[in-house]
Amino acid sequence: MLIIAGLGNPGSKYAGNRHNIGFMAVDAIQRRPSFSSWSKKFKAEISEGEIAGERVLLMKPQTFMNLSGEAVGDAMRFYKLGPKDIVVIYDELDLPAGKARIKTGGGHGGHNGIKSIDAHCGKDYRRLRLGIGHPGVKDLVHAHVLGDFAKADQVWVSPLLDAIADNADMLVKGEDSQLMNKIALATGGKASEEKPQAAKKQAAQSHIHQARNAAQPKKLPATGPMAEMLKKMFGSKGD
């Protein structure tokens, strides 16, 4: 069994916040076929289903962000699971908006929800970080995190969440690099940016090839008026 926990704050007041992108991600997965309606257990909203033949428990802790670990820890112990059976999805200030990274273990990076999960579950769980961008000034971080996504953000928020939900089987099977590629393609990332660079390299090689060809000495004519003129000017090789 796998627990996929999205982090956020409960209530309509926080529903559209950047800090709630973890909730949004598990909501997107839950809307796919095979998942039950949301119910309440473990101080969380939960939904059970199956992905790629694996039983999956989706969680949205209702303890507020700073105590997220209480809910996830309760579920982990109830099902006799370990940190390796947990995936946590949450917002990341230090990633550009729309970018994603996944890894097992690591530091909390100042994220209070992750601090709480580390304390209640251990650190060796998988972390799917979703970039929300940094406002650039430390004093603006609180307002940025607890502010709603702007309408303009939907050009990347919706494709990002859809890519996670559509490729949740990769998340379950641990196909992390493939999942990152799918997300990058959906949000206009690296995979689509590498092609022009390859074309430039090819063009540069072609230019060098042309220059080399131009540097090769041209063969002088052996017959005709030009050959006769050159012969008068320089003589024949036997002279």
Side-chain angles (χ1 to χ4, degrees), residues 55-134:
R55 187 180 172 200
V56 174
L57 180 74
L58 300 177
M59 294 188 71
K60 294 190 293 182
Q62 300 295 291
T63 53
F64 285 91
M65 183 68 82
N66 294 3
L67 301 175
S68 298
E70 290 183 8
V72 180
D74 283 353
M76 181 186 78
R77 286 183 287 276
F78 179 85
Y79 290 108
K80 296 180 172 56
L81 303 175
K84 64 180 178 56
D85 305 306
I86 298 171
V87 177
V88 179
I89 307 176
Y90 62 101
D91 58 299
E92 176 57 80
L93 268 171
D94 294 329
L95 278 178
K99 300 297 181 185
R101 296 289 183 273
I102 190 166
K103 67 175 182 177
T104 299
H108 55 69
H111 195 289
N112 288 328
I114 296 302
K115 282 183 187 177
S116 179
I117 294 176
D118 285 354
H120 287 270
C121 304
K123 296 184 177 182
D124 295 327
Y125 54 89
R126 286 164 68 217
R127 304 151 191 242
L128 175 54
R129 298 178 292 146
L130 306 180
I132 59 168
H134 196 289

Side-chain angles (χ1 to χ4, degrees), residues 19-203:
H19 213 25
N20 272 40
I21 197 168
F23 273 15
M24 297 174 195
V26 292
D27 277 334
I29 296 171
Q30 189 270 342
R31 286 192 291 268
R32 271 38 181 189
S34 90
F35 278 93
S36 65
S37 300
W38 291 108
S39 59
K40 292 189 177 181
K41 193 175 182 180
F42 310 119
K43 302 177 189 173
E45 288 189 358
I46 64 167
S47 173
E48 293 188 59
E50 189 176 292
I51 299 174
E54 180 91 15
R55 187 180 172 200
V56 174
L57 180 74
L58 300 177
M59 294 188 71
K60 294 190 293 182
Q62 300 295 291
T63 53
F64 285 91
M65 183 68 82
N66 294 3
L67 301 175
S68 298
E70 290 183 8
V72 180
D74 283 353
M76 181 186 78
R77 286 183 287 276
F78 179 85
Y79 290 108
K80 296 180 172 56
L81 303 175
K84 64 180 178 56
D85 305 306
I86 298 171
V87 177
V88 179
I89 307 176
Y90 62 101
D91 58 299
E92 176 57 80
L93 268 171
D94 294 329
L95 278 178
K99 300 297 181 185
R101 296 289 183 273
I102 190 166
K103 67 175 182 177
T104 299
H108 55 69
H111 195 289
N112 288 328
I114 296 302
K115 282 183 187 177
S116 179
I117 294 176
D118 285 354
H120 287 270
C121 304
K123 296 184 177 182
D124 295 327
Y125 54 89
R126 286 164 68 217
R127 304 151 191 242
L128 175 54
R129 298 178 292 146
L130 306 180
I132 59 168
H134 196 289
V137 181
K138 189 177 180 181
D139 292 345
L140 298 178
V141 165
H142 185 76
H144 177 74
V145 168
L146 293 180
D148 287 356
F149 284 111
K151 284 184 180 178
D153 291 325
Q154 291 309 314
V155 299
W156 63 265
V157 173
S158 294
L160 172 66
L161 299 177
D162 285 342
I164 292 168
D166 290 343
N167 299 287
D169 59 320
M170 294 178 178
L171 187 62
V172 169
K173 291 187 284 187
E175 296 173 348
D176 294 346
S177 59
Q178 294 94 319
L179 177 62
M180 292 301 99
N181 284 338
K182 292 287 186 181
I183 291 173
L185 284 168
T187 55
K190 274 187 179 180
S192 59
E193 289 171 1
E194 286 172 354
K195 290 177 184 177
Q197 292 175 357
K200 279 182 187 177
K201 188 177 178 183
Q202 220 171 22

Side-chain angles (χ1 to χ4, degrees), residues 2-3 7 25 122 169 198 200:
L2 187 71
I3 294 173
L7 302 192
D169 59 320
K200 279 182 187 177

